[in-house]
Amino acid sequence: MRRPLATAMLMALATTAGAQQAPAPTTAPKATTKAAPKTAPAARPDTGLVMGSFMSQRIDGKPLPVTDLAADDQGVQYVIEFAQLVLTLKPNGEFRAALRYRQALAGKGQKLSQEPLQKMTVFGTWSREGQALRFVPDPKRGGEGLRILAGTAAGRTVNVPFDYQNGRVTKRSTVTLQYDPKIF
């Protein structure tokens, strides 16, 4: 990110060094009224991240809802369905994440039950450096037992990788969220 500034500094040094080595002119140079161009300070890359609410669109590239089925060595089947995630980013550095999901299990050869959707809401703080996002759940406000998450942001899209456990199997997935101005 500082590379353009360093390159400009190196070019300025090379130009100055070259001027020192140039032979002295035989006649006096003419005065000019043009001022030397000023170099603009190197701008930090802007991700264009907007504040507001983001709605989950995909998990690992698949449209929601996404269902994951796992079985343990005893033949017990575990199913988890991710239905929806709404992530709200506030300019004061706070976030709210509301997840709707379903969990069920069944013995070998049994039909999976259709449990009702469950809800989980987590509050915490977030910060950004360039495109990198960092989410710190508040254990007193729904984030007990949750780890810090890191993600990326660009404009109206946020990607957040997360780990979850389905039965005895731990998996990593990435949710893609899009800005939705219609959500509170």
Side-chain angles (χ1 to χ4, degrees):
M1 289 183 219
R2 296 181 187 257
R3 191 170 289 152
L5 181 58
T7 304
M9 289 176 67
L10 286 174
M11 288 176 61
L13 286 173
T15 304
T16 305
Q20 290 173 349
Q21 294 173 357
T26 54
T27 59
K30 294 181 181 178
T32 59
T33 56
K34 285 186 178 179
K38 293 185 179 180
T39 345
R44 296 185 79 188
D46 182 14
T47 62
L49 178 64
V50 294
M51 295 294 103
S53 295
F54 296 77
M55 174 71 75
S56 56
Q57 299 297 311
R58 299 182 171 280
I59 292 183
D60 294 335
K62 300 173 192 164
L64 270 73
V66 170
T67 303
D68 179 39
L69 178 66
D72 67 14
D73 54 356
Q74 304 295 316
V76 177
Q77 297 180 74
Y78 300 87
V79 67
I80 186 165
E81 177 185 310
F82 296 101
Q84 180 183 65
L85 173 66
V86 176
L87 173 67
T88 303
L89 301 178
K90 295 182 180 180
N92 66 356
E94 294 180 354
F95 79 85
R96 174 184 179 264
L99 174 66
R100 290 181 43 213
Y101 65 99
R102 181 184 335 261
Q103 286 182 305
L105 64 111
K108 188 174 185 177
Q110 293 179 334
K111 185 178 176 183
L112 292 170
S113 64
Q114 285 296 314
E115 300 295 323
L117 284 175
Q118 299 174 38
K119 297 177 185 177
M120 178 174 137
T121 303
V122 176
F123 295 86
T125 59
W126 70 277
S127 60
R128 178 182 84 173
E129 185 172 321
Q131 290 186 325
L133 293 175
R134 177 182 162 108
F135 298 94
V136 181
D138 182 347
K140 296 177 184 173
R141 298 181 68 204
E144 186 174 348
L146 296 179
R147 296 183 315 175
I148 295 170
L149 296 172
T152 59
R156 297 174 176 260
T157 303
V158 172
N159 290 295
V160 181
F162 65 97
D163 294 327
Y164 67 96
Q165 189 166 349
N166 193 1
R168 294 185 180 146
V169 178
T170 300
K171 297 185 176 184
R172 172 157 282 221
S173 289
T174 300
V175 62
T176 301
L177 303 110
Q178 294 290 320
Y179 175 71
D180 189 340
K182 294 178 249 157
I183 300 174
F184 48 89

